[in-house]
Amino acid sequence: MTDSSANPFANFWQTDLLDMFFSPTQAADPLPTQDADLLRQFGFLPGLKEILMVRQVHALEHATVWVLSSRARSVKSGNSNSRQTDDDSLSGMSTDQGFYLYGEVNSEEINQAVQTALRRITSGEWDLAVHPRCGTNLSVGMLVTAGLAVGASALLPRDPIGQIVGLGLAAATATQITPDLGSLVQRYITTAIPFNLEVDRITTMRDSFGNPAHFVRVKWAES
Protein backbone atom coordinates (compact mmCIF):
# COMPACT_ATOMS: atom_id res chain seq x y z
CA MET A 1 0.00 0.00 0.00
CA THR A 2 1.29 3.46 -0.93
CA ASP A 3 1.96 5.98 1.82
CA SER A 4 -0.16 9.01 0.84
CA SER A 5 1.97 11.32 3.00
CA ALA A 6 4.93 10.65 0.74
CA ASN A 7 3.03 11.33 -2.45
CA PRO A 8 1.62 14.86 -2.89
CA PHE A 9 -0.77 13.56 -5.56
CA ALA A 10 -2.26 10.80 -3.40
CA ASN A 11 -4.75 13.08 -1.69
CA PHE A 12 -4.80 15.73 -4.43
CA TRP A 13 -8.58 16.07 -4.49
CA GLN A 14 -8.87 15.99 -0.69
CA THR A 15 -6.86 19.19 -0.31
CA ASP A 16 -7.96 22.79 -0.63
CA LEU A 17 -6.30 23.18 -4.04
CA LEU A 18 -9.59 23.70 -5.85
CA ASP A 19 -10.63 26.19 -3.17
CA MET A 20 -7.68 28.31 -4.26
CA PHE A 21 -9.78 29.37 -7.23
CA PHE A 22 -13.32 28.80 -6.00
CA SER A 23 -13.43 29.92 -2.36
CA PRO A 24 -15.02 33.31 -1.67
CA THR A 25 -12.97 36.06 -0.08
CA GLN A 26 -16.05 36.70 2.05
CA ALA A 27 -16.34 33.14 3.35
CA ALA A 28 -17.54 32.78 6.91
CA ASP A 29 -14.14 31.65 8.13
CA PRO A 30 -11.28 32.04 5.61
CA LEU A 31 -8.15 30.18 6.65
CA PRO A 32 -5.09 32.41 7.22
CA THR A 33 -2.79 29.47 6.43
CA GLN A 34 -4.56 28.17 3.33
CA ASP A 35 -2.34 29.71 0.66
CA ALA A 36 0.82 29.00 2.66
CA ASP A 37 -0.23 25.36 3.04
CA LEU A 38 -0.95 25.11 -0.68
CA LEU A 39 2.46 26.53 -1.51
CA ARG A 40 4.20 24.09 0.82
CA GLN A 41 2.39 21.11 -0.70
CA PHE A 42 2.37 22.13 -4.35
CA GLY A 43 5.20 24.62 -4.64
CA PHE A 44 6.67 22.54 -7.45
CA LEU A 45 3.81 23.61 -9.74
CA PRO A 46 5.06 26.33 -12.13
CA GLY A 47 3.51 29.71 -11.47
CA LEU A 48 1.58 28.68 -8.36
CA LYS A 49 3.20 31.21 -6.05
CA GLU A 50 2.70 33.99 -8.62
CA ILE A 51 -1.01 33.14 -8.88
CA LEU A 52 -1.42 33.15 -5.11
CA MET A 53 0.48 36.43 -4.87
CA VAL A 54 -1.55 38.17 -7.57
CA ARG A 55 -4.86 37.22 -5.94
CA GLN A 56 -3.76 38.53 -2.54
CA VAL A 57 -2.17 41.66 -4.01
CA HIS A 58 -5.36 42.30 -5.97
CA ALA A 59 -7.41 42.27 -2.78
CA LEU A 60 -4.93 44.56 -1.01
CA GLU A 61 -5.00 46.98 -3.94
CA HIS A 62 -8.79 47.23 -3.72
CA ALA A 63 -8.73 47.64 0.04
CA THR A 64 -6.13 50.41 -0.21
CA VAL A 65 -8.20 52.32 -2.77
CA TRP A 66 -11.25 52.02 -0.49
CA VAL A 67 -9.29 53.37 2.48
CA LEU A 68 -7.83 56.27 0.51
CA SER A 69 -11.23 57.09 -0.97
CA SER A 70 -12.88 57.12 2.46
CA ARG A 71 -10.16 59.37 3.86
CA ALA A 72 -10.50 61.81 0.96
CA ARG A 73 -14.25 61.97 1.50
CA SER A 74 -13.79 62.53 5.25
CA VAL A 75 -11.39 65.42 4.62
CA LYS A 76 -13.75 67.07 2.14
CA SER A 77 -16.91 66.62 4.20
CA GLY A 78 -15.46 66.82 7.68
CA ASN A 79 -17.21 63.52 8.46
CA SER A 80 -14.96 60.87 9.96
CA ASN A 81 -17.24 57.87 9.44
CA SER A 82 -15.72 54.84 7.71
CA ARG A 83 -18.51 54.18 5.20
CA GLN A 84 -17.08 52.96 1.92
CA THR A 85 -17.00 55.58 -0.81
CA ASP A 86 -15.30 55.43 -4.17
CA ASP A 87 -12.89 58.10 -5.41
CA ASP A 88 -12.68 57.64 -9.17
CA SER A 89 -9.49 59.73 -9.35
CA LEU A 90 -7.67 56.71 -7.88
CA SER A 91 -6.91 53.52 -9.75
CA GLY A 92 -4.53 50.61 -9.51
CA MET A 93 -3.03 47.59 -11.25
CA SER A 94 -1.84 44.43 -9.53
CA THR A 95 1.19 42.22 -10.26
CA ASP A 96 2.79 39.33 -8.44
CA GLN A 97 5.34 41.76 -6.95
CA GLY A 98 2.94 44.42 -5.71
CA PHE A 99 0.56 46.96 -7.17
CA TYR A 100 0.66 50.29 -8.97
CA LEU A 101 -1.46 53.09 -7.56
CA TYR A 102 -2.36 56.04 -9.76
CA GLY A 103 -3.61 59.35 -8.39
CA GLU A 104 -2.67 62.49 -6.48
CA VAL A 105 -1.61 60.91 -3.20
CA ASN A 106 1.70 61.24 -1.40
CA SER A 107 3.84 58.32 -0.26
CA GLU A 108 3.11 58.77 3.44
CA GLU A 109 -0.65 58.71 2.84
CA ILE A 110 -0.28 55.57 0.76
CA ASN A 111 1.88 53.87 3.37
CA GLN A 112 -0.68 54.59 6.10
CA ALA A 113 -3.55 53.51 3.85
CA VAL A 114 -1.87 50.23 2.87
CA GLN A 115 -1.14 49.34 6.48
CA THR A 116 -4.69 50.22 7.50
CA ALA A 117 -6.15 48.28 4.57
CA LEU A 118 -4.03 45.22 5.36
CA ARG A 119 -5.06 45.28 9.01
CA ARG A 120 -8.75 45.78 8.27
CA ILE A 121 -9.10 43.22 5.50
CA THR A 122 -7.28 40.50 7.42
CA SER A 123 -9.33 41.27 10.54
CA GLY A 124 -12.66 40.47 8.91
CA GLU A 125 -13.61 43.36 6.58
CA TRP A 126 -13.49 41.05 3.56
CA ASP A 127 -15.81 43.21 1.49
CA LEU A 128 -12.82 45.53 0.97
CA ALA A 129 -11.45 42.96 -1.48
CA VAL A 130 -14.16 43.75 -4.05
CA HIS A 131 -14.29 46.99 -6.02
CA PRO A 132 -16.90 48.09 -8.60
CA ARG A 133 -14.32 49.65 -10.95
CA CYS A 134 -12.14 46.55 -11.09
CA GLY A 135 -11.02 45.43 -14.54
CA THR A 136 -12.55 42.05 -13.73
CA ASN A 137 -15.99 43.60 -14.14
CA LEU A 138 -15.03 44.95 -17.55
CA SER A 139 -13.75 41.55 -18.68
CA VAL A 140 -16.85 39.81 -17.37
CA GLY A 141 -19.06 42.38 -19.11
CA MET A 142 -17.33 41.83 -22.43
CA LEU A 143 -17.64 38.04 -22.15
CA VAL A 144 -21.29 38.18 -21.11
CA THR A 145 -22.15 40.64 -23.89
CA ALA A 146 -20.38 38.53 -26.51
CA GLY A 147 -22.04 35.35 -25.30
CA LEU A 148 -25.51 36.84 -25.24
CA ALA A 149 -24.98 38.48 -28.63
CA VAL A 150 -23.98 35.17 -30.20
CA GLY A 151 -26.98 33.46 -28.61
CA ALA A 152 -29.37 36.17 -29.76
CA SER A 153 -27.93 36.09 -33.25
CA ALA A 154 -28.54 32.35 -33.48
CA LEU A 155 -32.07 32.44 -32.09
CA LEU A 156 -33.52 35.55 -33.70
CA PRO A 157 -34.39 36.09 -37.38
CA ARG A 158 -31.46 36.76 -39.67
CA ASP A 159 -32.85 40.01 -41.04
CA PRO A 160 -31.03 43.23 -40.05
CA ILE A 161 -33.82 44.46 -37.77
CA GLY A 162 -33.94 41.20 -35.84
CA GLN A 163 -30.18 41.13 -35.42
CA ILE A 164 -30.05 44.75 -34.24
CA VAL A 165 -32.81 44.09 -31.71
CA GLY A 166 -30.95 41.00 -30.52
CA LEU A 167 -27.72 42.91 -30.09
CA GLY A 168 -29.52 45.63 -28.15
CA LEU A 169 -31.17 43.11 -25.86
CA ALA A 170 -27.84 41.37 -25.29
CA ALA A 171 -26.13 44.64 -24.38
CA ALA A 172 -28.96 45.71 -22.06
CA THR A 173 -29.05 42.34 -20.30
CA ALA A 174 -25.28 42.30 -19.90
CA THR A 175 -25.36 45.79 -18.38
CA GLN A 176 -27.85 44.62 -15.77
CA ILE A 177 -26.12 41.42 -14.69
CA THR A 178 -22.45 42.36 -15.06
CA PRO A 179 -22.01 44.27 -11.75
CA ASP A 180 -23.24 41.38 -9.60
CA LEU A 181 -21.56 38.74 -11.71
CA GLY A 182 -18.29 40.69 -11.73
CA SER A 183 -18.40 40.96 -7.93
CA LEU A 184 -18.87 37.20 -7.67
CA VAL A 185 -15.91 36.56 -9.95
CA GLN A 186 -13.78 38.90 -7.84
CA ARG A 187 -14.83 37.21 -4.59
CA TYR A 188 -14.40 33.65 -5.82
CA ILE A 189 -11.57 33.81 -8.35
CA THR A 190 -9.48 36.96 -8.77
CA THR A 191 -8.91 38.02 -5.15
CA ALA A 192 -7.91 36.35 -1.89
CA ILE A 193 -7.51 37.73 1.63
CA PRO A 194 -3.86 38.91 1.88
CA PHE A 195 -2.91 36.88 4.95
CA ASN A 196 0.56 36.23 3.53
CA LEU A 197 1.58 39.71 2.42
CA GLU A 198 3.91 42.21 4.03
CA VAL A 199 4.61 45.67 2.65
CA ASP A 200 8.23 45.95 1.52
CA ARG A 201 8.55 49.50 0.19
CA ILE A 202 6.71 52.19 -1.73
CA THR A 203 8.31 53.76 -4.79
CA THR A 204 7.29 57.09 -6.34
CA MET A 205 7.12 57.20 -10.14
CA ARG A 206 5.25 58.61 -13.13
CA ASP A 207 2.96 56.81 -15.52
CA SER A 208 3.37 56.93 -19.30
CA PHE A 209 1.44 60.23 -19.41
CA GLY A 210 3.58 61.88 -16.74
CA ASN A 211 0.93 61.61 -14.03
CA PRO A 212 1.94 60.76 -10.45
CA ALA A 213 2.00 57.08 -9.52
CA HIS A 214 3.40 54.79 -6.87
CA PHE A 215 4.40 51.15 -6.76
CA VAL A 216 3.67 49.32 -3.52
CA ARG A 217 6.08 46.38 -3.40
CA VAL A 218 5.10 43.49 -1.18
CA LYS A 219 6.74 40.26 -0.05
CA TRP A 220 5.44 36.84 0.88
CA ALA A 221 5.27 35.93 4.55
CA GLU A 222 4.28 32.51 5.91
CA SER A 223 2.30 33.99 8.78
Side-chain angles (χ1 to χ4, degrees):
M1 184 172 65
T2 303
D3 181 5
S4 63
S5 64
N7 182 0
F9 290 104
N11 62 345
F12 185 86
W13 298 110
Q14 281 73 46
T15 69
D16 292 326
L17 184 62
L18 293 180
D19 288 341
M20 177 180 69
F21 296 102
F22 300 106
S23 59
T25 54
Q26 292 186 328
D29 188 20
L31 300 176
T33 61
Q34 177 174 294
D35 283 357
D37 290 341
L38 285 170
L39 191 59
R40 280 193 292 271
Q41 295 181 54
F42 302 101
F44 58 87
L45 295 176
L48 176 61
K49 185 174 183 179
E50 287 73 16
I51 292 173
L52 297 175
M53 285 282 287
V54 167
R55 295 180 74 224
Q56 292 197 22
V57 170
H58 196 188
L60 182 58
E61 175 212 320
H62 288 172
T64 302
V65 171
W66 279 127
V67 170
L68 287 170
S69 297
S70 296
R71 288 184 177 180
R73 177 181 178 277
S74 297
V75 169
K76 291 178 180 178
S77 65
N79 187 349
S80 60
N81 68 58
S82 59
R83 185 171 64 87
Q84 286 184 189
T85 54
D86 182 22
D87 182 353
D88 58 12
S89 68
L90 299 172
S91 60
M93 182 179 70
S94 296
T95 73
D96 63 335
Q97 300 295 319
F99 64 91
Y100 294 92
L101 188 66
Y102 305 102
E104 293 282 354
V105 190
N106 64 52
S107 298
E108 182 58 32
E109 287 178 304
I110 293 175
N111 182 57
Q112 293 178 3
V114 172
Q115 299 296 344
T116 299
L118 186 58
R119 173 180 52 79
R120 287 174 57 183
I121 196 173
T122 56
S123 297
E125 295 186 54
W126 305 314
D127 58 319
L128 294 175
V130 177
H131 200 281
R133 290 189 290 110
C134 178
T136 299
N137 288 20
L138 177 61
S139 299
V140 169
M142 293 172 64
L143 289 173
V144 170
T145 301
L148 291 175
V150 170
S153 177
L155 294 174
L156 293 175
R158 297 290 181 176
D159 61 277
I161 298 298
Q163 293 298 300
I164 291 174
V165 170
L167 183 59
L169 289 174
T173 303
T175 299
Q176 293 298 315
I177 66 176
T178 290
D180 290 337
L181 186 57
S183 294
L184 287 174
V185 172
Q186 287 184 61
R187 289 191 181 102
Y188 282 82
I189 300 177
T190 64
T191 68
I193 302 303
F195 289 118
N196 301 105
L197 297 186
E198 290 182 357
V199 179
D200 186 6
R201 62 182 182 273
I202 298 174
T203 305
T204 303
M205 59 182 61
R206 295 276 175 179
D207 65 15
S208 56
F209 299 100
N211 299 315
H214 293 81
F215 184 70
V216 179
R217 186 172 296 277
V218 299
K219 57 185 178 181
W220 181 268
E222 288 295 315
S223 60

